[in-house]
Amino acid sequence: MIKLTRLDGEAFILNADLIRYVENRPDTYVTLTTGERVVVKESMDDVVDLTIDYQQQKHLAPVGR
């Protein structure tokens, strides 16, 4: 999960596993595998960096308690 910000300033958590692609037009559009599209304040590069960090952490997290 990654924390992003809508254009109105509202923060939200996005399941990064659902990201299909990210566009910069000039706002940043995140298109999900569901077809839903979200516009965020973060730059395209920031979304990519957050997603990469999330994927790396996901594989480092322990699988049970």
Side-chain angles (χ1 to χ4, degrees):
M1 307 292 248
I2 59 175
K3 185 176 180 179
L4 297 173
T5 312
R6 297 184 192 280
L7 292 182
D8 66 2
E10 179 185 348
F12 70 101
I13 304 297
L14 177 71
N15 182 347
D17 291 324
L18 296 179
I19 295 175
R20 184 168 184 187
Y21 55 88
V22 180
E23 300 173 273
N24 191 24
R25 23 164 73 203
D27 293 324
T28 305
Y29 284 74
V30 180
T31 302
L32 307 179
T33 57
T34 62
E36 181 180 358
R37 195 180 259 179
V38 183
V39 184
V40 298
K41 281 188 175 182
E42 290 76 11
S43 71
M44 183 170 61
D45 290 336
D46 287 344
V47 174
V48 170
D49 290 342
L50 288 167
T51 302
I52 289 170
D53 290 345
Y54 163 73
Q55 292 295 341
Q56 289 173 340
Q57 289 298 318
K58 186 169 75 167
H59 296 292
L60 295 177
V63 177
R65 290 185 178 218

